[in-house]
Amino acid sequence: MATTAYDRDVADTGSRPEQGGRRVSSEATPPPASRKATIRTVAAAAGVSTATVSRVMSGVSTVSPALAQRVREVAEQLSYRPSEAARGLALGGLRNIGVLMPDLGNAYFHDVVKGMHRAAADTGFRLLIADHAGDPANEFATAWDLMGHVDGLALLSSRLDLPRLRDLARQTVPVVLVNRVEPGVDLPMVGVDSFTATLEICAHLAGLGHRRVVYVSGSELAWQDRERWRAVRTSGRVLGIDAARVEAEGTLETGYAAVDAALAHEPTALVCFNDLAAIGVISRLRELGLDVPGDISVTGFDDIAIGSHVSPTLTTASSPRDALGRQAWQLLQEALEKANPSETTTLLTATLITRESSGPAR
Amino acid sequence: MATTAYDRDVADTGSRPEQGGRRVSSEATPPPASRKATIRTVAAAAGVSTATVSRVMSGVSTVSPALAQRVREVAEQLSYRPSEAARGLALGGLRNIGVLMPDLGNAYFHDVVKGMHRAAADTGFRLLIADHAGDPANEFATAWDLMGHVDGLALLSSRLDLPRLRDLARQTVPVVLVNRVEPGVDLPMVGVDSFTATLEICAHLAGLGHRRVVYVSGSELAWQDRERWRAVRTSGRVLGIDAARVEAEGTLETGYAAVDAALAHEPTALVCFNDLAAIGVISRLRELGLDVPGDISVTGFDDIAIGSHVSPTLTTASSPRDALGRQAWQLLQEALEKANPSETTTLLTATLITRESSGPAR
DNA sequence: GTGAAAGCGCTAACAT
DNA sequence: ATGTTAGCGCTTTCAC
């Protein structure tokens, strides 16, 4: 959701023909053309200096109420809007923070972003949201491009490999990793302990008599996927579960498509990477005439809202999305304040939520 | 997803103590501190002028390959990233376009945005995405704030009232209305003809013997809601359907919550504002022990992906989301090129999709 | 092919 | 309380 190409064929907002080499006293320039109001236009029209206009616009220091009022009126009248580009240049920062995620269509990310947004808004920061469809090359390009526009960058569920990650870490704009914990990288990060939560899911399943499960994976580039798959395999050893893995990408469509391969293992339960995949899986199972959980159990992960509105409702693990978002902002905030990016790592806990989609093994 | 507050307490990227009043020849400033590489740092380090660095970075005009290579290396080595703020200032535009929508969590919008993105990316534009939770005040504030950062603005399913809309139209940055057609406003706009599509839904229902339907609404501030409700009422006259309306907001939760009130009208069918609401509705009906479509039929609108993965699958109207997005970009593009914002209005067609959630009236 | 220098619109000392 | 002015980092004529 962002691009880097710099064609130049559009929108050069009119040519600006030679407009005098020297600056002229404010009053000398009457408000002529109707082009675009700048701080100078307003200053001239209001008969004050640009400094005063600037002060009024940012509500700073003491400007006499009467004057301020007049300036405000003129500004309003001229539809004057301070250029953020100029502001950013002068201030040395746009007060934007970039948020990059694999899939804008996944409600999970949306919830995390909401958490960040609330926290960021309180401090006067804007969020620039972009997605990269799970493609690392695209992710890197987008991150790189975004860096020019933002004061900080949050990578949600990044699919970047270590060299690329380190490359970004080396840049001057602070970066935080959300939903990924990568010991080898010098970056603040927050994640959810999905290993433990997935183990709980497996234990729950084992308790219901399941001995043969298949894991319907997420993107193999996702840290969460590695953690969850590791947990499923571990459950094999610890709980005596026979575990297989089939590939998917954590979306409705890939979940749906993975079912046939999964069924080849004759499992009694399907542990899915996330809720979206689980819903896709269930949809396909229904199509095949299989009842969930009668014939086979299915579990998700994330606890997105729709999980409790589908039939059967989803057994899943609830990630603390809001907390994740806030924590992410917290880290960014710290990185912004002190140039010293302390390598902080936080791991939040997800909790098992048992609903209808899991039942006794057949 | 954007804010306007301008606190000043963070990130002023270090103070810049008196650094000489006059500009000094490039070579006079050795690459000292490790602060942040600027074009001058790079120029000095590479022993060339800033003009050359600029040319190399934007791949413009002819710079001797050897020199270009050297500059690129130095830049790379210094982790130099041109500041977009400075660039934007000099160029008179950031090549950003803002996209504002009510609900980031609705897959429908996501699909529209994808369409826009693809189109915009080809022209070297970035998309800044923000949501406003359906609150007009928030929408206006966000739009206003965003205007400083973008070269164009797309308002998806805007909830703004006419005065506010006109206020935005009066500004210098081009604005297009997507998913809303408002005759009184001088703005380019694209919408989907949901009136006709909803009529088709009603006709479909009437054909199945339904005579008593209730419309589970969207936000009453949404143009689409007005159109759909108008269609439902019209169907009352034309098709002999007895129609009532209950309030919701086009989300899972509000759909779910609206069911009890809807049932008070003893309908045989529920026509929902969109798919999300329909899924919420069905979930509540199931909870009440009602079968869909056995006991009652339910229809949605939008044809989001999940609609064909839930049980029962949703009867709905398919909006041409991708086309919407592309058309939106098209309009923006035109507005960007010629200062003359021709008031263009396009209406796209939605088509009925019959699935499991609608059946014969009981 | 490359450099010098004039801004882009705004903010922040530093006067007054 | 208000005006002057020197930049912020980059692009872009205009010379050479």
Side-chain angles (χ1 to χ4, degrees), chain A:
Chain A
M1 288 300 164
T3 171
T4 282
Y6 289 119
D7 324 354
R8 33 212 58 183
D9 43 327
V10 193
D12 200 18
T13 321
S15 49
R16 25 194 160 88
E18 20 282 36
Q19 51 168 98
R22 228 53 336 253
R23 278 174 204 170
V24 281
S25 117
S26 349
E27 288 297 0
T29 315
S34 62
R35 196 72 223 122
K36 176 150 186 165
T38 78
I39 199 174
R40 262 194 296 279
T41 330
V42 177
V48 299
S49 75
T50 61
T52 299
V53 176
S54 173
R55 289 194 267 255
V56 171
M57 294 313 288
S58 16
V60 189
S61 74
T62 37
V63 177
S64 95
L67 223 197
Q69 185 51 29
R70 182 149 59 90
V71 170
R72 244 183 303 266
E73 272 162 17
V74 174
E76 159 74 14
Q77 216 256 95
L78 262 45
S79 307
Y80 166 67
R81 315 252 21 233
S83 144
E84 290 293 333
R87 253 181 141 248
L89 219 211
L91 254 23
L94 259 356
R95 294 188 84 78
N96 284 161
I97 93 103
V99 183
L100 205 41
M101 64 189 108
D103 181 13
L104 239 178
N106 188 334
Y108 173 78
F109 293 114
H110 179 230
D111 290 341
V112 176
V113 169
K114 273 214 286 236
M116 284 194 72
H117 175 63
R118 265 191 294 268
D122 296 340
T123 334
F125 277 82
R126 235 164 273 98
L127 256 34
L128 304 194
I129 302 169
D131 97 355
H132 55 72
D135 171 35
N138 188 6
E139 178 176 1
F140 186 77
T142 307
W144 189 263
D145 175 77
L146 225 38
M147 279 193 154
H149 296 275
V150 302
D151 305 323
L153 193 55
L155 265 27
L156 309 201
S157 297
S158 173
R159 262 75 156 148
L160 259 22
D161 57 26
L162 264 38
R164 295 260 226 2
L165 232 32
R166 295 212 183 87
D167 203 351
L168 292 182
R170 208 174 302 122
Q171 303 307 121
T172 35
V173 3
V175 175
V176 312
L177 244 37
V178 182
N179 252 336
R180 178 163 174 181
V181 173
E182 204 66 77
V185 183
D186 180 33
L187 242 30
M189 32 204 169
V190 227
V192 171
D193 175 13
S194 46
F195 177 80
T196 304
T198 302
L199 226 39
E200 281 178 38
I201 290 177
C202 292
H204 162 68
L205 255 18
L208 289 167
H210 295 273
R211 288 296 172 269
R212 195 178 264 281
V213 326
V214 2
Y215 172 66
V216 177
S217 83
S219 161
E220 56 184 354
L221 299 172
W223 172 73
Q224 303 278 33
D225 177 67
R226 299 200 289 276
E227 289 291 293
R228 292 173 198 174
W229 173 224
R230 188 163 66 84
V232 173
R233 275 175 311 171
T234 301
S235 78
R237 275 175 262 115
V238 178
L239 303 164
I241 283 184
D242 181 14
R245 169 185 175 115
V246 308
E247 296 299 324
E249 299 275 335
T251 62
L252 285 171
E253 293 73 18
T254 55
Y256 177 94
V259 168
D260 297 45
L263 256 23
H265 295 277
E266 304 193 336
T268 60
L270 263 26
V271 173
C272 303
F273 174 71
N274 65 11
D275 290 347
L276 241 32
I279 293 174
V281 161
I282 291 174
S283 137
R284 176 60 180 156
L285 290 173
R286 182 187 312 118
E287 215 170 82
L288 294 172
L290 259 23
D291 180 60
V292 177
D295 295 315
I296 188 167
S297 288
V298 176
T299 65
F301 205 110
D302 285 350
D303 188 30
I304 58 179
I306 205 164
S308 53
H309 287 285
V310 292
S311 170
T313 54
L314 251 40
T315 288
T316 188
S318 174
S319 290
R321 288 147 297 187
D322 192 72
L324 244 194
R326 295 185 166 279
Q327 176 67 17
W329 172 250
Q330 190 57 39
L331 292 179
L332 223 26
Q333 175 98 294
E334 280 167 20
L336 252 35
E337 282 169 353
K338 44 193 174 89
N340 164 325
S342 63
E343 184 182 352
T344 329
T345 301
T346 317
L347 213 51
L348 303 177
T349 306
T351 60
L352 177 65
I353 298 199
T354 314
R355 296 212 193 88
E356 302 166 355
S357 68
S358 58
R362 197 160 122 102

Side-chain angles (χ1 to χ4, degrees), chain B residues 19-21 39-40 54 80 82-83 87 91:
Chain B
Q19 50 168 98
I39 199 174
R40 263 195 294 279
S54 172
Y80 167 65
S83 144
R87 224 157 176 271
L91 255 24

Side-chain angles (χ1 to χ4, degrees), chain B residues 198 201-202 205 210-217 228-229 232-233 235 241-248 255 258-273 281 285 296-300:
Chain B
T198 302
I201 291 177
C202 291
L205 255 16
H210 294 274
R211 288 296 174 271
R212 194 179 265 282
V213 328
V214 0
Y215 172 66
V216 178
S217 82
R228 291 172 198 173
W229 172 223
V232 173
R233 274 176 310 169
S235 79
I241 282 183
D242 181 14
R245 169 186 175 113
V246 307
E247 297 298 326
V259 169
D260 297 45
L263 255 23
H265 295 279
E266 304 193 336
T268 60
L270 264 24
V271 172
C272 302
F273 174 71
V281 160
L285 290 173
I296 189 167
S297 289
V298 176
T299 66

Side-chain angles (χ1 to χ4, degrees), chain A residues 89-90 92, chain B residues 12-26 28-30 32-33 35-41:
Chain A
L89 219 211
Chain B
D12 201 18
T13 321
S15 49
R16 25 192 159 91
E18 19 282 39
Q19 50 168 98
R22 230 48 344 247
R23 275 172 207 173
V24 281
S25 116
S26 349
T29 315
R35 195 75 220 118
K36 174 149 188 166
T38 77
I39 199 174
R40 263 195 294 279
T41 329

Side-chain angles (χ1 to χ4, degrees), chain B residues 259-319:
Chain B
V259 169
D260 297 45
L263 255 23
H265 295 279
E266 304 193 336
T268 60
L270 264 24
V271 172
C272 302
F273 174 71
N274 65 11
D275 290 348
L276 241 31
I279 293 173
V281 160
I282 291 173
S283 137
R284 176 60 180 156
L285 290 173
R286 181 186 313 117
E287 216 171 82
L288 293 172
L290 260 23
D291 180 59
V292 177
D295 295 315
I296 189 167
S297 289
V298 176
T299 66
F301 204 110
D302 286 349
D303 188 30
I304 57 178
I306 204 166
S308 53
H309 287 285
V310 292
S311 168
T313 54
L314 251 39
T315 289
T316 188
S318 173
S319 290

Side-chain angles (χ1 to χ4, degrees), chain B:
Chain B
M1 290 303 161
T3 169
T4 282
Y6 288 121
D7 323 355
R8 33 212 57 184
D9 42 328
V10 192
D12 201 18
T13 321
S15 49
R16 25 192 159 91
E18 19 282 39
Q19 50 168 98
R22 230 48 344 247
R23 275 172 207 173
V24 281
S25 116
S26 349
E27 289 297 359
T29 315
S34 62
R35 195 75 220 118
K36 174 149 188 166
T38 77
I39 199 174
R40 263 195 294 279
T41 329
V42 177
V48 300
S49 75
T50 61
T52 298
V53 176
S54 172
R55 291 194 264 254
V56 171
M57 294 311 289
S58 15
V60 188
S61 73
T62 37
V63 177
S64 94
L67 223 198
Q69 185 50 31
R70 183 150 55 90
V71 170
R72 245 184 303 267
E73 272 162 17
V74 174
E76 159 75 14
Q77 216 256 93
L78 261 44
S79 308
Y80 167 65
R81 317 253 19 235
S83 144
E84 289 294 333
R87 224 157 176 271
L89 218 209
L91 255 24
L94 259 356
R95 294 188 84 80
N96 284 162
I97 92 104
V99 183
L100 203 42
M101 65 190 102
D103 181 12
L104 241 179
N106 187 337
Y108 172 78
F109 293 114
H110 179 231
D111 290 342
V112 176
V113 169
K114 271 212 289 239
M116 285 194 72
H117 175 63
R118 264 191 294 268
D122 296 339
T123 333
F125 277 81
R126 232 163 276 100
L127 256 33
L128 304 194
I129 301 169
D131 97 355
H132 56 72
D135 171 35
N138 188 6
E139 178 177 2
F140 186 76
T142 308
W144 191 263
D145 176 76
L146 224 39
M147 279 193 153
H149 296 275
V150 302
D151 304 324
L153 193 56
L155 264 26
L156 309 202
S157 298
S158 173
R159 260 76 156 147
L160 258 23
D161 56 27
L162 264 39
R164 295 259 228 358
L165 231 32
R166 296 214 182 88
D167 204 351
L168 292 182
R170 208 174 302 124
Q171 302 309 121
T172 34
V173 2
V175 175
V176 312
L177 244 37
V178 182
N179 252 335
R180 176 162 174 182
V181 173
E182 204 66 77
V185 183
D186 181 33
L187 241 31
M189 31 203 169
V190 228
V192 171
D193 176 13
S194 45
F195 177 81
T196 304
T198 302
L199 228 37
E200 280 179 39
I201 291 177
C202 291
H204 162 68
L205 255 16
L208 289 168
H210 294 274
R211 288 296 174 271
R212 194 179 265 282
V213 328
V214 0
Y215 172 66
V216 178
S217 82
S219 162
E220 55 184 354
L221 299 172
W223 172 72
Q224 302 279 36
D225 178 67
R226 298 200 289 275
E227 290 291 293
R228 291 172 198 173
W229 172 223
R230 187 162 68 82
V232 173
R233 274 176 310 169
T234 301
S235 79
R237 275 177 260 115
V238 180
L239 304 164
I241 282 183
D242 181 14
R245 169 186 175 113
V246 307
E247 297 298 326
E249 300 274 334
T251 62
L252 285 172
E253 293 74 17
T254 56
Y256 178 93
V259 169
D260 297 45
L263 255 23
H265 295 279
E266 304 193 336
T268 60
L270 264 24
V271 172
C272 302
F273 174 71
N274 65 11
D275 290 348
L276 241 31
I279 293 173
V281 160
I282 291 173
S283 137
R284 176 60 180 156
L285 290 173
R286 181 186 313 117
E287 216 171 82
L288 293 172
L290 260 23
D291 180 59
V292 177
D295 295 315
I296 189 167
S297 289
V298 176
T299 66
F301 204 110
D302 286 349
D303 188 30
I304 57 178
I306 204 166
S308 53
H309 287 285
V310 292
S311 168
T313 54
L314 251 39
T315 289
T316 188
S318 173
S319 290
R321 288 146 296 188
D322 192 72
L324 245 194
R326 295 187 167 278
Q327 176 66 17
W329 172 250
Q330 190 56 40
L331 292 178
L332 222 28
Q333 175 99 295
E334 283 167 19
L336 252 36
E337 283 170 351
K338 45 193 172 90
N340 164 326
S342 63
E343 182 182 353
T344 329
T345 302
T346 317
L347 213 50
L348 303 176
T349 305
T351 61
L352 177 65
I353 298 197
T354 313
R355 297 211 193 89
E356 301 167 353
S357 69
S358 57
R362 195 163 123 101

